[in-house]
Amino acid sequence: MKKRVICLALALLLILSLAIPAQAALTSLNVYATARFARSYPVYSGPGEYYYRANSGKAMYGGGVARVYGVTGDWIMIGYGLSDGSYRLGYITKDALSGMTDLKGTLKENLSFSGTTMWAIDKCSLTDDPVINNKSIFSVAKGTAVTALAQMGSEWTYVELQGTSSLMRGFVRSRYLSTDPNAAVATAVPKPTATPYVPPVYYPTATPYLPYYPTVTTAPSYSGNSLLSSLSHNCPNTGVMVPSAFNPYQTAYLLTVADWVSRVTFTPVAQDYNATIYVNGQVVRSGQTSQVFNMTDEPQAVSIKVVSGTASTTYTVYLQRRPSEKRTKVSAGYISSIYMKNSDWRINADLVTLKYSGEDYNSGNFSTFTNGGVDNYDYVVDPNCIFYYGTKQNCYRAYNIQEFLNNYQIYGSSLYTLVYIEDEIVAIFPYGADY
């Protein structure tokens, strides 16, 4: 009798296993090679010209280092940077392999995808940029059926769906998808909000953040008579300024230019016509071009001092070249882990959204951040990365990444500012609202 019960139980388990299909693990997009391609190519969201094409049907890979996820049929799945600092994943024709150079890593010659039907359990966005800005390219309605193709980390699921007029591929946050169309959306765990920022603190330090932070020994007078109304430079096509828009009350900037730029000038305009402007000590009339700054591969600081009567304000622009076809970008985020993989140190961080305010001068809060959820990004750390830990007002230069790893949480927060060129972090320092 006992043997009969056991046999019946085993039979029941077999029937249940046949009746309930197992959900196969999705293809992983966490591993990729990098390479360059010899010329520009049209980019489609899927492996075919019948798929959606971004940028109003004009999306193009224009050169530079690209992530190469693999070859599928007659197409190559790549990720590449855009001129506005964002990113895009899509497909170019397999013909590009003949002009591929600088391959690093293993090219996956037979990239295959999963094919699991899932449903959007709440309204969500489809993006072709899961790396930097996550800009939406299509709104996915609740109840929409999609084909889940792959995963990128735990945050993103790569899907295919029918768009307004064509098939589309892109990324949806995984928490909005389920194999059960009646499931409830998971609630993201909120991160701590920014603490109220006190009026600007100007701190003397023997080791400035060059080229990213200035050393300020005296607080400038925020008098309207000693402020600039505008500040421009002669590199509008290649120059990338952080913050991107000039703010009279924002006194520190980082300007990067293409590696072939040899001469940079500035044109400051004072709010007070009678104010005197000094650019690195030389008098420059308001609205006139400054002396030439000859560019080398070393960063340099440009000081622009506006004097009106007894009031003065000093603006600092940190000026540097960036490698050809690459961009410098600044983000902030909660560091989740620091680890080594394939002989490279890597940092995983939950990036936050930075916003520079333009009307909140009196409170001193000239930049803020928001964090709508967990956005995990994983970056390689450049071997020459600069590390600081502590607080913005009291920071310490780490000798190497191991010292940074041992101390980055010692002051109770893992929120740091990250500076990176393409996919490599080149500087890390404690986050603080900019003055």
Side-chain angles (χ1 to χ4, degrees):
M1 180 66 180
K2 185 176 181 180
K3 290 183 178 179
R4 186 179 179 184
V5 171
I6 293 174
C7 289
L8 287 172
L10 290 174
L12 180 60
L13 287 173
L14 178 60
I15 292 170
L16 288 173
S17 66
L18 293 174
I20 304 174
Q23 181 179 338
L26 297 178
T27 299
S28 172
L29 292 177
N30 296 328
V31 178
Y32 52 85
T34 61
R36 296 174 183 267
F37 297 96
R39 62 178 180 83
S40 60
Y41 287 91
V43 178
Y44 298 87
S45 69
E49 294 182 358
Y50 50 87
Y51 278 88
Y52 166 80
R53 187 178 175 190
N55 191 26
S56 301
K58 300 176 182 178
M60 296 284 292
Y61 160 80
V65 176
R67 295 181 179 182
V68 185
Y69 291 90
V71 179
T72 176
D74 293 328
W75 296 83
I76 312 170
M77 183 180 181
I78 68 168
Y80 63 102
L82 305 179
S83 60
D84 63 359
S86 58
Y87 214 75
R88 175 175 292 137
L89 271 73
Y91 295 80
I92 61 176
T93 177
K94 187 178 178 181
D95 296 342
L97 289 177
S98 62
M100 185 174 68
T101 59
D102 299 335
L103 177 65
K104 296 180 181 179
T106 302
L107 175 64
K108 191 174 292 185
E109 296 182 354
N110 186 20
L111 177 62
S112 59
F113 293 104
S114 311
T116 303
T117 300
M118 303 184 78
W119 283 267
I121 55 179
D122 203 349
K123 182 180 178 181
C124 54
S125 295
L126 184 78
T127 182
D128 58 3
D129 176 11
V131 178
I132 297 179
N133 290 337
N134 316 149
K135 181 180 179 180
S136 176
I137 59 173
F138 187 72
S139 180
V140 183
K142 180 179 180 180
T144 300
V146 302
T147 301
L149 304 173
Q151 281 189 315
M152 182 176 287
S154 60
E155 178 68 11
W156 297 99
T157 299
Y158 186 51
V159 303
E160 180 173 298
L161 52 79
Q162 178 62 48
T164 305
S165 58
S166 60
L167 281 173
M168 305 180 72
R169 287 190 179 185
F171 293 82
V172 172
R173 295 189 189 277
S174 301
R175 67 176 180 267
Y176 289 105
L177 299 177
S178 174
T179 53
D180 177 6
N182 299 313
V185 66
T187 302
V189 178
K191 284 287 187 182
T193 57
T195 55
Y197 189 65
V198 297
V201 177
Y202 300 92
Y203 51 98
T205 172
T207 309
Y209 283 124
L210 270 172
Y212 306 105
Y213 264 55
T215 299
V216 182
T217 55
T218 58
S221 168
Y222 280 152
S223 164
N225 291 333
S226 66
L227 294 174
L228 291 178
S229 60
S230 69
L231 176 64
S232 57
H233 53 81
N234 67 327
C235 305
N237 295 324
T238 70
V240 178
M241 184 89 85
V242 180
S244 59
F246 177 76
N247 180 336
Y249 295 87
Q250 170 75 31
T251 58
Y253 297 85
L254 168 66
L255 174 63
T256 65
V257 296
D259 73 327
W260 48 263
V261 172
S262 60
R263 297 158 62 89
V264 175
T265 60
F266 293 91
T267 304
V269 178
Q271 293 187 11
D272 177 10
Y273 179 79
N274 295 315
T276 303
I277 302 174
Y278 300 89
V279 179
N280 273 19
Q282 293 189 24
V283 175
V284 175
R285 292 186 61 183
S286 178
Q288 300 298 308
T289 302
S290 73
Q291 69 269 36
V292 171
F293 293 91
N294 293 310
M295 298 300 298
T296 67
D297 290 334
E298 296 299 318
Q300 55 185 301
V302 177
S303 173
I304 302 170
K305 186 175 183 180
V306 185
V307 179
S308 178
T310 59
S312 68
T313 302
T314 300
Y315 299 86
T316 305
V317 180
Y318 289 107
L319 184 59
Q320 67 179 101
R321 281 174 169 170
R322 60 184 180 272
S324 177
E325 299 175 336
K326 298 185 179 181
R327 301 159 315 286
T328 297
K329 187 170 179 65
V330 179
S331 296
Y334 294 90
I335 295 177
S336 306
S337 62
I338 303 173
Y339 65 98
M340 180 170 282
K341 180 180 179 182
N342 298 330
S343 75
D344 290 323
W345 280 100
R346 304 185 70 94
I347 287 182
N348 183 278
D350 170 19
L351 297 191
V352 302
T353 300
L354 295 177
K355 179 181 180 182
Y356 288 91
S357 302
E359 58 281 327
D360 193 17
Y361 307 140
N362 293 330
S363 72
N365 192 11
F366 301 116
S367 76
T368 59
F369 76 87
T370 57
N371 191 23
V374 179
D375 298 317
N376 287 315
Y377 295 100
D378 194 274
Y379 290 97
V380 172
V381 179
D382 187 274
N384 299 312
C385 182
I386 300 170
F387 300 95
Y388 287 90
Y389 61 89
T391 65
K392 181 179 176 181
Q393 288 75 24
N394 187 25
C395 60
Y396 299 90
R397 173 79 178 266
Y399 181 75
N400 53 34
I401 192 170
Q402 189 62 57
E403 181 184 343
F404 181 75
L405 174 61
N406 294 339
N407 293 282
Y408 79 96
Q409 297 185 86
I410 197 170
Y411 285 84
S413 175
S414 64
L415 181 60
Y416 280 80
T417 296
L418 310 173
V419 180
Y420 49 94
I421 298 176
E422 281 207 339
D423 301 324
E424 289 194 341
I425 298 175
V426 296
I428 304 174
F429 41 83
Y431 175 80
D434 292 272
Y435 43 84

